[in-house]
Each structure stands twice: as C-alpha cells, then as structure tokens.
Amino acid sequence: MASTQDELFERTPVARAVLLLVVPTVISQLVGVVYNLADTFFIGQTGDPNQVAAANLCMPLFLFLTGIANLFGIGGSSLISRCLGAGDRDKASHTSAFSIWAGVLVSLIYGIGIYVRSPFILPLLGANEETYEFCRQYLFWTVGVGSVPTVLNAEFAHLVRSEGYSRQASFGMILGAVLNIVLDPVFISVLHMQVAGAALATMLSNLVATLYFVCFILMKRGCTVLTLDPRFFSVGEYIPSEVFLVGLPSTLMSLMSTASNITLNRLMASYANEAVAGVGIAKRIDLVSFAIATGMSQGVVPLIGYNYAAGNYERMRKAIQTTFALSLSTALVCTVLLFTLAGP
C-alpha cells in the first residue's frame, strides 16, 4: 500500500495524479445521478406520469444521502491523507473507523426518521393523492431501507481513494450503477413492480457495491489503514472536528441542492403531475454537470492534503492550478452542450 500511496501522491506527474483522483470522484458523484436517470427512464416506460413525478418528488431526500456520505467520506479521506503525509498511521486508522461507523449511525437515523415522518414530509414535498402511494413505496426502499448501503457505497469510494486506490474506487461505483441499470427493467417490467421495483433495484445495487468495498478492505487488511473494526472508533485527537471541518461544506452544498429541488417541485406541483415529471427530467440532466463539477473539487482533496502535511507546497499549488484549469475547461464544454443540445 505504501508504494501505491507514495507513487501517486509524491512521484506521479501532477496532471496524471489529479486525473487519477478526480475521475473516480466524478464517477462517484455521477452514480447518484445515473441511478435516478435509470429509474426515470424505466419508470417512464410505464407511461404513467404520476410514477415519474413520484420518483422526482423523492429525489431530493435520496440525493441528500450523498451529502451524508460526503460529510464522512470527503472529511475522512482528507484527514487520512494528511495523516499519511505526516506519517501518523494510527490516527489514520482511527479516522477511518470513526468515519465509517459515524456514517452508519447518521444514515440509519436519517433513513428511519424520514420514512417514519413520510406522511408529514411527502405532502410538504408536493405529493398529492395521485402520487402519494408511489412516493411512499419509492421512499421505503431508497431511503428507509437503503440509507445505510447508499451512504456507505459513496463513502467507501472516498476513503479507498485516500490511499491511492483510484481504480478500485471507480470499479465499485460503476458496479452499482451498471447493476441498477440491469435490475430496473427486470423489477419494473418483468416482475411488474413499477416504481417500487425501481427503488428496490437502487437499494440492491448500492448494497452489492457496498459489499464489494467491504471485501476489498478485508482483503487489504494489514497493508491499509482503513479498518472496519469498531474498536478503532475514536473521538479523540480532534478527529470529529477535523472530519467535519472539511466534509461539512460539501454536505451544505447537497443541502442547498435539496432545498432548491424541493422548492421547484412545490412550485410545479401547483400545476400538474406532468409538470413535476417534466421538470424532474430537466433537473436530472442539470445534475450531470453539477456532479462533474462537485467531483472535480472533491477528488483532488487527498492529493492536496497529503502534500500539505508533507510540506511539499509546490506540488500542492500545482495540483490546485491543474484542477482549476481542468474544471474551467469542463464547465465551458458542459455549458455549450446544454445550450445547444438541450432538446435531443
């Protein structure tokens, strides 16, 4: 592991190192969007706009799980990379255990809380008598049951990447996305589960991807600082505050995005369920560019943190400059595509 970490963070050319870290993070951000795009596409094949509208109304609550994953995943990976740069492997292990188990606890509380309060929450989101039952079914599998695997899937990708295992992080996220696309038509069309089938496919896809990461960490036991052992859980050495300091801005970004989507859905619900369904499709396309931008800013964090802790400020500055140039170029391309190809 040490050679992988040293090679990527210390010796690999900066541009290549940035790409190796940024690409998996962009993929992890896009996975949440892909899940929703796949659900929307296959639910749309039912020809029922109420089901499409229901999936859209639940989307903000589901996407906020990404915010929880970023809180502990990005915050944890940043601290782990800084600990490795400073040579403090013990604190890195304690950080990984704290991030994993705190993520499990918070996502479990969120999932149960949201579903239990769904009779109150769903009408606030814009659900009506035509969409309420579909919303409840979708929310049960994606958030009520699926909160923990959804959070751990994205969080593990961040933590694994903090040690330089970018390809493994990419594979785990892609595995979940591909499996979701395969399972959606099976549950929706073949088994006739409709919107509940799409939600079940999403939950199972996240669960399988999470199990992949668990197996990966267990296989690397002894040569990685990442640990699933709850005995390493610690709130000492300012670990919680350091994790939250880096992870909280990303979580707030997800929270603002959630609030924006809820507001828009409420406004559209005053017209018709078809309007909610239509704007939901547009928002999912918009989320693609948003996910790319977010992934770029988050992906370079371990490289910056490691070199900052190691005192290699010149390499740190080059990483920031390279990421800025890459982000600006990508933003310009996305802008042109969205303006010229919105219809298709």
Side-chain angles (χ1 to χ4, degrees):
M1 185 283 303
S3 60
T4 301
Q5 163 204 323
D6 293 343
E7 182 66 29
L8 179 62
F9 291 150
E10 296 179 6
R11 293 188 288 273
T12 300
V14 172
R16 176 174 167 78
V18 168
L19 286 174
L20 287 173
L21 290 169
V22 161
V23 170
T25 319
V26 169
I27 291 174
S28 70
Q29 289 294 318
L30 284 173
V31 162
V33 181
V34 169
Y35 282 142
N36 280 276
L37 283 172
D39 286 352
T40 301
F41 176 79
F42 289 109
I43 293 172
Q45 303 307 300
T46 65
D48 185 356
N50 292 327
Q51 294 190 51
V52 178
N56 180 52
L57 290 171
C58 293
M59 182 181 67
L61 298 177
F62 175 72
L63 289 182
F64 187 66
L65 291 170
T66 302
I68 298 176
N70 290 343
L71 175 63
F72 297 105
I74 294 176
S77 67
S78 172
L79 182 53
I80 289 171
S81 64
R82 281 180 279 136
C83 290
L84 293 175
D88 192 348
R89 292 178 62 83
D90 287 338
K91 185 175 180 180
S93 293
H94 289 305
T95 300
S96 72
F98 169 81
S99 299
I100 291 169
W101 291 106
V104 169
L105 179 62
V106 172
S107 60
L108 186 62
I109 293 173
Y110 174 81
I112 294 175
I114 290 294
Y115 185 72
V116 169
R117 298 297 294 166
S118 60
F120 172 75
I121 294 173
L122 290 178
L124 291 179
L125 295 180
N128 55 30
E129 59 183 13
E130 296 174 313
T131 58
Y132 177 84
E133 183 57 26
F134 292 131
C135 286
R136 190 192 63 79
Q137 294 174 16
Y138 193 83
L139 202 63
F140 173 75
W141 288 112
T142 57
V143 178
V145 177
S147 60
V148 173
T150 298
V151 168
L152 287 182
N153 180 17
E155 182 182 334
F156 277 140
H158 290 303
L159 297 179
V160 166
R161 194 181 64 255
S162 69
E163 287 195 283
Y165 295 113
S166 56
R167 286 185 291 109
Q168 291 83 351
S170 296
F171 178 81
M173 300 303 293
I174 293 173
L175 173 65
V178 171
L179 186 59
N180 188 58
I181 293 173
V182 171
L183 292 179
D184 262 342
V186 174
F187 288 142
I188 295 173
S189 302
V190 178
L191 299 180
H192 304 291
M193 295 179 65
Q194 298 184 316
V195 70
L200 178 59
T202 298
M203 187 278 291
L204 289 177
S205 301
N206 278 311
L207 179 60
V208 171
T210 296
L211 291 176
Y212 159 78
F213 282 118
V214 169
C215 292
F216 174 78
I217 293 173
L218 292 177
M219 288 174 58
K220 291 292 183 178
R221 185 168 44 192
C223 60
T224 175
V225 298
L226 302 181
T227 177
L228 302 170
D229 192 339
R231 291 176 296 180
F232 281 84
F233 183 93
S234 174
V235 294
E237 302 179 273
Y238 302 102
I239 289 176
S241 61
E242 292 191 61
V243 169
F244 293 155
L245 185 64
V246 175
L248 190 58
S250 179
T251 302
L252 290 176
M253 187 183 302
S254 296
L255 181 62
M256 293 301 100
S257 177
T258 298
S260 172
N261 278 279
I262 290 174
T263 302
L264 185 58
N265 287 339
R266 286 285 297 173
L267 293 173
M268 291 298 103
S270 63
Y271 291 95
N273 291 333
E274 288 81 358
V276 176
V279 77
I281 294 172
K283 286 299 293 182
R284 281 165 171 78
I285 297 173
D286 175 60
L287 279 173
V288 172
S289 58
F290 178 79
I292 293 173
T294 303
M296 286 185 173
S297 62
Q298 294 171 352
V300 76
V301 168
L303 182 63
I304 294 173
Y306 182 96
N307 284 281
Y308 173 80
N312 192 345
Y313 301 122
E314 179 62 26
R315 185 173 174 85
M316 179 190 74
R317 282 192 290 269
K318 287 182 179 179
I320 295 173
Q321 292 167 357
T322 301
T323 306
F324 174 77
L326 182 63
S327 299
L328 182 60
S329 301
T330 304
L332 290 174
V333 171
C334 288
T335 299
V336 172
L337 289 176
L338 288 174
F339 268 109
T340 58
L341 300 175

